[in-house]
Amino acid sequence: MDPDRARRGLRAGGTVLNLADPRPARLRHLRLRRLRPSRGNPRPLDRLRSIKAKLGVLVIASVFVSTLLIILGLRAEVRFRYMLVFTSLACLAVTLVLAHGMTSPLREMTTAAQAMARGDYSRRVRATSRDEVGRLAGAFNRMAADLEAVDRHRRELVANVSHELRTPISALHAVLENLVDGVQKPDPDTLGLALNQTARLGRLVSQLLDLSRLDSGAVPLQAREFAVRPFLTALTAETGALSSDVRFRVDVQPADLTALADPERLHQVVTNLVANACRHSPLGGTVSLHARRDEGPGSLRLEVQDEGPGIPYGERGRVFERFTRGGGSSSTDGGTGLGLAIARWAVDLHGGDISVAESSHGCRIRVILPGDPA
């Protein structure tokens, strides 16, 4: 099967069928149908706010119907045994009609829970009643939506990680295969290509470890005061040793500016921002780092500016999501789509804010750390 065709899917009957979905066809069919509870089910007691009130109405309605039929039977001089049968059947019919609407959400929740156990998280329950069962149905729908989102993110994570691992592994395999077959000689250029792919694999593994710490919340924050200029100067020197295609400019005002933050976590933030800026800057371009004091003691406003194509306005809210590349980046640019997500996580640990700022050219990422809240 053509993989491009599988990724695009086939359109049948106005519905897009994802042929690349690894789940069984039966579950895909269930998901595409997205069965919803019927709106035609009678629920005459939905307006009542308590299940006790509904039971009371059920009893009163049964007693009223029984009394009415008994009175009519006595006036018509119907025999008692016939009157008892008709009265019992009428009470049973009233009870079934009213109780059906009361227990309908419970039946729908049972069906939806069974579908969720099979992997279909698209089912929802009709939550129109105002009583305890209705509130339970609303909570069930929110839980189902959360589980559907978690399942979708899990599948996207597996697919994206598999893709990111496959690219450098395939490139490394091709280089080594050429070396073994004698197609290429083990010259510095060929070995450098293999080294670059192993470095990319190492960065991806490190970022995935950071991502696991992000999800588990197992990273403590160890904030202390430190000088900003030496910190940024050392970081750009480290990055410059790996990327000699761009120049760095560090602008810190005042020169003795200090900040209160966790230097290790902030190092993650700035390293990812600078690496991202280097990838998108042209050859010989300049990556600028501007640091100023923000409001409050120990606060810091840090901006990283590149000379690349910038990030379109519509993508600025998404670039900090996992496996998202902004500015038209491709999977071959060396990025994993995790750097900005990790940067946002580290900034959130500080209670700060990270965003794409307005810029006349290139991309400007702004980080604000609150410092000492006191």
Side-chain angles (χ1 to χ4, degrees):
M1 180 181 293
D2 183 4
D4 293 333
R5 185 185 183 191
R7 283 194 297 271
R8 291 193 302 268
L10 299 178
R11 183 172 298 275
T15 303
V16 176
L17 304 180
N18 185 5
L19 299 181
D21 194 339
R23 293 172 298 168
R26 176 173 56 86
L27 295 185
R28 294 203 304 270
H29 179 63
L30 286 174
R31 183 174 180 81
L32 290 171
R33 285 194 303 164
R34 294 188 67 86
L35 296 179
R36 294 180 176 86
S38 174
R39 296 289 180 181
N41 293 337
R43 295 187 183 181
L45 303 180
D46 273 358
R47 293 183 177 274
L48 298 180
R49 296 180 177 273
S50 172
I51 190 69
K52 296 179 181 178
K54 289 184 177 182
L55 293 175
V57 170
L58 178 62
V59 173
I60 292 174
S62 300
V63 172
F64 176 79
V65 171
S66 301
T67 304
L68 180 62
L69 291 179
I70 289 174
I71 293 175
L72 294 177
L74 291 175
R75 289 182 178 180
E77 297 182 353
V78 178
R79 292 185 178 183
F80 180 75
R81 61 175 178 271
Y82 297 136
M83 187 167 52
L84 179 62
V85 172
F86 290 143
T87 301
S88 301
L89 292 177
C91 290
L92 181 60
V94 171
T95 301
L96 289 177
V97 171
L98 297 180
H100 179 82
M102 293 170 55
T103 59
S104 179
L106 299 177
R107 292 192 299 273
E108 291 176 3
M109 278 187 277
T110 301
T111 303
Q114 293 172 347
M116 290 167 63
R118 297 191 298 268
D120 177 21
Y121 298 98
S122 63
R123 297 292 189 94
R124 297 296 182 266
V125 179
R126 179 184 168 192
T128 56
S129 61
R130 303 179 180 181
D131 61 353
E132 295 84 352
V133 177
R135 291 192 289 272
L136 176 62
F140 182 90
N141 287 337
R142 290 190 293 273
M143 179 193 70
D146 291 341
L147 290 175
E148 185 177 22
V150 169
D151 181 66
R152 183 176 64 255
H153 292 156
R154 177 187 60 81
R155 287 185 280 108
E156 291 175 354
L157 179 64
V158 171
N160 287 323
V161 169
S162 300
H163 172 75
E164 294 296 341
L165 288 173
R166 181 181 60 187
T167 302
I169 289 176
S170 299
L172 186 59
H173 180 270
V175 172
L176 296 177
E177 189 176 34
N178 289 338
L179 291 176
V180 172
D181 294 341
V183 177
Q184 288 180 306
K185 296 181 179 180
D187 52 31
D189 292 338
T190 303
L191 296 179
L193 179 60
L195 182 61
N196 289 336
Q197 296 303 325
T198 56
R200 183 179 179 184
L201 279 173
R203 289 196 301 271
L204 178 60
V205 171
S206 298
Q207 289 180 336
L208 289 175
L209 289 175
D210 290 336
L211 207 60
S212 66
R213 298 190 189 102
L214 185 160
D215 292 331
S216 64
V219 180
L221 194 66
Q222 299 177 352
R224 62 178 177 85
E225 190 173 12
F226 64 93
V228 176
R229 177 178 287 276
F231 173 81
L232 296 179
T233 302
L235 188 146
T236 54
E238 295 174 5
T239 308
L242 300 176
S243 176
S244 58
D245 297 332
V246 298
R247 299 186 301 269
F248 296 98
R249 185 168 69 92
V250 177
D251 175 28
V252 179
Q253 297 293 334
D256 59 347
L257 177 66
T258 60
L260 182 63
D262 187 332
E264 184 176 352
R265 299 279 81 81
L266 185 60
H267 190 280
Q268 280 183 299
V269 174
V270 184
T271 298
N272 281 308
L273 296 183
V274 170
N276 188 70
C278 290
R279 278 195 302 271
H280 294 89
S281 291
L283 293 177
T286 301
V287 174
S288 303
L289 288 82
H290 305 275
R292 301 289 188 274
R293 186 178 304 281
D294 201 62
E295 301 176 359
S299 60
L300 177 66
R301 185 174 75 250
L302 177 66
E303 296 180 348
V304 178
Q305 171 85 44
D306 63 42
E307 297 179 348
I311 299 176
Y313 185 81
E315 297 182 11
R316 293 183 180 181
R318 297 182 55 251
V319 293
F320 298 102
E321 298 177 2
R322 302 174 184 181
F323 298 103
T324 299
R325 299 184 179 94
S329 299
S330 66
S331 61
T332 60
D333 63 357
T336 61
L338 289 172
L340 292 182
I342 293 173
R344 182 181 63 176
W345 158 68
V347 172
D348 288 343
L349 281 178
H350 288 83
D353 179 71
I354 183 171
S355 61
V356 180
E358 292 294 335
S359 177
S360 59
H361 66 282
C363 173
R364 181 188 294 263
I365 304 292
R366 176 177 297 157
V367 175
I368 297 178
L369 302 181
D372 188 359

